[in-house]
Amino acid sequence: MTTAIPSLPAPSQCHAVVVGGGTMGADVAVVLARAQAGVTVVETDAARHAGILERARANLAERGLEQNIDKVGVAASLHAVAWRDVNLVIECIPESLPLKRALFAELVALAPAHALLASNSSSFPISQIAEGLERRERMLGLHFFMPAHLIPLVEVVLGPDSDSARGEALVAFMRRCGMVPVLVRKDVPGFLGNRLQHALTREAFALIQEGVASAEDVDAAVRFGFGFRFLAAGPVMQRDHAGLDVHCAATTTTYPSLSKADGPFPILTERVAAGKLGMKTGEGFYRWTPETMAAEKARYAAMLRAGLALIEGELPPIEP
């Protein structure tokens, strides 16, 4: 069993605050409540409070943990939180740097000195959010992937002023919550997971732009080809399976021809300009109706759950 670290107690002894009660915030609350952490979700829109609790209850029920909903509470403001016993704060508000900076300035004043202050931002480095604030050593990135209660990966990101010991403590804490945490030691744009995703999607859109393949065929190549293997082994381990000499030789012919674009391709900018943003507007690279969207979201969630069941034996056990 993992030893409790003073700056973060065992999950069952922890009081965490999740600021922002949107989809991500509600699912992050579930991750914590599964490990019996007490969670206060701060959501200023009172009309959303019942929905937050209902979503959390339903997602906990998927693991047979519906009784843990008693660990989740909702507050209408930061000042309604019992701050004295808070150990961890996770910011899940909209991706606006001014909003995040203003929130962290409040958190510095409200949260006790021992509490870790983490941002779930996927766009802004913790160094930008924490700029000019006191006690930056306790500020870290904690980036979940949607849907947070189904995707095991979480990134713990160290900024230049972050205390590495606190980062290690957060890694250990998230592992006890049954997640797979990775420590990102440099606060680079996109962190770890999104940098890898963007490298892939840049090449995918380059191939579509250049007429090499259709969007449908690009998706099929990833899902039913090398992407299918990623569930079993990551790209580095796969190279060990195949042989580093084979990969090294292949790079000499493939690398020079890969896209080096430093911005979006016309197939993206033209769609955005035309309001073709994907499901949210009914068309992106694919056309969507309410019926096809509902069917696709159900299929997607079912596939994630099936994949989660396959790797369940490799996930850290929950250690309340």
Side-chain angles (χ1 to χ4, degrees):
M1 172 153 318
T2 308
T3 303
I5 298 172
S7 60
L8 272 178
S12 60
Q13 303 302 312
C14 180
H15 178 192
V17 173
V18 176
V19 185
T23 299
M24 179 62 82
D27 289 349
V28 169
V30 168
V31 169
L32 300 170
R34 285 192 313 221
Q36 299 182 32
V39 189
T40 301
V41 180
V42 178
E43 173 53 57
T44 56
D45 185 354
R48 301 178 68 177
H49 288 189
I52 292 169
L53 292 174
E54 184 52 42
R55 180 179 179 86
R57 182 182 289 105
N59 288 339
L60 285 167
E62 289 184 4
R63 297 284 190 95
L65 296 171
E66 54 268 37
Q67 71 277 6
N68 286 20
I69 191 61
D70 293 341
K71 296 289 185 178
V72 182
V74 185
S77 72
L78 293 175
H79 294 283
V81 174
W83 285 103
R84 186 170 63 178
D85 65 343
V86 169
N87 309 103
L88 173 64
V89 183
I90 305 173
E91 167 268 307
C92 293
I93 66 174
E95 289 293 283
S96 163
L97 185 56
L99 286 179
K100 292 179 187 291
R101 282 178 169 169
L103 172 61
F104 267 70
E106 287 191 84
L107 294 175
V108 168
L110 291 171
H114 66 268
L116 299 188
L117 307 181
S119 172
N120 181 55
S121 176
S122 60
S123 305
F124 304 112
I126 190 64
S127 55
Q128 289 187 18
I129 296 170
E131 185 177 350
L133 297 178
E134 296 180 355
R135 299 294 313 279
R136 292 190 295 276
E137 73 279 0
R138 63 172 173 156
M139 301 179 192
L140 305 125
L142 185 64
H143 180 229
F144 294 82
F145 293 78
M146 290 184 68
H149 69 295
L150 292 180
I151 307 296
L153 182 68
V154 63
E155 299 175 312
V156 176
V157 186
L158 299 178
D161 299 315
S162 301
D163 175 21
S164 60
R166 287 180 169 87
E168 295 284 0
L170 190 52
V171 165
F173 179 84
M174 294 313 303
R175 187 173 291 115
R176 293 186 69 156
C177 290
M179 299 292 284
V180 178
V182 293
L183 183 63
V184 184
R185 294 172 173 84
K186 293 186 178 181
D187 198 5
V188 295
F191 317 134
L192 177 57
N194 277 339
R195 287 183 75 88
L196 294 169
Q197 287 190 102
H198 278 291
L200 170 61
T201 53
R202 177 172 66 179
E203 189 60 30
F205 290 134
L207 292 168
I208 298 169
Q209 183 71 55
E210 294 166 9
V212 175
S214 66
E216 293 82 357
D217 285 344
V218 166
D219 281 345
V222 175
R223 286 193 61 215
F224 301 106
F226 65 88
F228 181 69
R229 300 185 305 196
F230 280 163
L231 192 62
V236 180
M237 184 177 285
Q238 280 187 3
R239 296 307 89 193
D240 264 14
H241 275 271
L244 298 184
D245 54 334
V246 176
H247 177 71
C248 190
T251 64
T252 61
T253 55
T254 306
Y255 277 21
S257 68
L258 293 175
S259 173
K260 299 174 180 63
D262 60 2
F265 294 98
I267 55 169
L268 284 175
T269 57
E270 290 168 2
R271 281 174 169 78
V272 170
K276 297 178 180 179
L277 309 181
M279 287 188 180
K280 64 175 68 176
T281 58
E283 184 177 355
F285 282 93
Y286 299 86
R287 292 181 182 274
W288 301 101
T289 66
E291 294 75 21
T292 59
M293 277 190 284
E296 169 56 22
K297 288 180 178 180
R299 184 203 66 83
Y300 180 76
M303 292 291 285
L304 289 179
R305 292 185 179 96
L308 193 58
L310 288 175
I311 62 171
E312 187 173 4
E314 298 185 42
L315 300 179
I318 293 176
E319 299 181 8

